[in-house]
Amino acid sequence: ACLHHGWKNLVFISNFGGDCLEHGWSIAVEMQLYLLTPPIFMLLAYLKSKWLKMPSVTGGIIAVCVFLCLLSYALRLHFVLTLPEARFRHHFVSQYLYFYTQYRYSAYAAGVIVGVVVHGSDAQVSETAKAGNCADFVMLAMTLGVIAIVIATGGGNDLITANLDLLWSGWPNSTPPDGLWIRLQMALQRPLLDVAAACFTWLCVSGRAPRLTGFLSAEAWKPVAALSYSCYLVQFIAVQLVG
């Protein structure tokens, strides 16, 4: 397979189809986004230098990322809601949402927004974190609630959400959700998780959730964090070797 499709891995487009090292699709998505981001930043900086009345580059980055997030959400909704029922039940349909960049980049864009918002010195971050303690708590509670709901209903994994009606059918005295509900879950679960993760990250890195930040930044997590993605990359190779 790598003799015929390995070139897709070399140019980082294997997430759009390819049979060589299929688990490398996420690297392809990330590299595509890393290559596209600097030109956008440079274009905004160039426009700012030409039109001084234009909002700041930071504001432009946030506006572009918000627009791209909304565009990705709209693309997901359009893809899911316009599929005929016969095609919607096919396993390969959910793979489009799971692997294709236009349906996945919203998480990256949300992360860029957080990075731009919290960019600054430690003094600036701590000063902005003094106000709104109650609002910060409410946001944290809502964020954790959204994350818990998404995890309980498929974890934002489009491959699982597509078959939620089959999972429900195994529970006694349960009524499987209707087709529209399943479609909306498939289209919106990952965007909701993206927004929740962005809010969660912002609360932590801006100093608004110090206890949670201390827990998540504990030394004990470092070995696990170092192993998690490495294990993902080698798991399929290990399975084939072990048999």
Side-chain angles (χ1 to χ4, degrees):
C2 287
L3 292 177
H4 294 91
H5 300 287
W7 64 272
K8 294 183 178 180
N9 296 78
L10 295 176
V11 297
F12 301 105
I13 60 171
S14 58
N15 61 306
F16 291 106
D19 300 325
C20 177
L21 301 176
E22 296 178 5
H23 56 290
W25 68 270
S26 60
I27 298 177
V29 173
E30 292 168 3
M31 183 57 70
Q32 292 165 24
L33 296 173
Y34 295 155
L35 292 175
L36 289 173
T37 302
I40 294 176
F41 281 26
M42 289 187 290
L43 176 61
L44 290 172
Y46 173 78
L47 293 176
K48 175 61 178 176
S49 67
K50 294 296 183 181
W51 291 282
L52 299 180
K53 294 184 179 180
M54 176 182 169
S56 65
V57 175
T58 298
I61 292 172
I62 294 175
V64 169
C65 287
V66 169
F67 170 76
L68 291 176
C69 284
L70 295 176
L71 178 60
S72 179
Y73 303 157
L75 290 173
R76 290 179 68 92
L77 279 169
H78 179 267
F79 176 80
V80 171
L81 295 179
T82 58
L83 273 175
E85 187 66 22
R87 290 192 61 201
F88 180 73
R89 295 304 173 186
H90 287 184
H91 178 71
F92 74 88
V93 169
S94 57
Q95 294 182 349
Y96 288 109
L97 294 178
Y98 193 76
F99 296 116
Y100 282 23
T101 308
Q102 64 267 35
Y103 304 124
R104 296 283 309 213
Y105 69 75
S106 57
Y108 177 81
V112 172
I113 293 175
V114 173
V116 170
V117 170
V118 302
H119 176 68
S121 66
D122 293 337
Q124 290 174 319
V125 172
S126 61
E127 183 179 350
T128 59
K130 292 179 181 178
N133 291 330
C134 181
D136 295 339
F137 177 79
V138 171
M139 178 180 290
L140 179 61
M142 292 178 63
T143 298
L144 294 175
V146 170
I147 293 175
I149 292 172
V150 171
I151 291 176
T153 56
N157 188 328
D158 305 306
L159 303 179
I160 296 177
T161 308
N163 298 302
L164 273 181
D165 54 345
L166 300 179
L167 298 178
W168 275 76
S169 63
W171 290 87
N173 302 321
S174 63
T175 302
D178 58 28
L180 178 60
W181 177 245
I182 291 293
R183 288 173 184 257
L184 290 176
Q185 278 187 292
M186 183 183 293
L188 298 177
Q189 266 195 336
R190 185 166 295 281
L192 286 174
L193 189 61
D194 296 345
V195 174
C199 292
F200 188 84
T201 303
W202 175 71
L203 288 169
C204 289
V205 300
S206 65
R208 288 173 166 79
R211 293 182 181 178
L212 183 60
T213 303
F215 172 74
L216 294 177
S217 59
E219 292 292 328
W221 295 114
K222 290 185 177 180
V224 180
L227 286 173
S228 59
Y229 194 67
S230 300
C231 290
Y232 167 75
L233 291 177
V234 301
Q235 62 174 317
F236 296 101
I237 300 175
V239 169
Q240 291 179 358
L241 291 176
V242 174

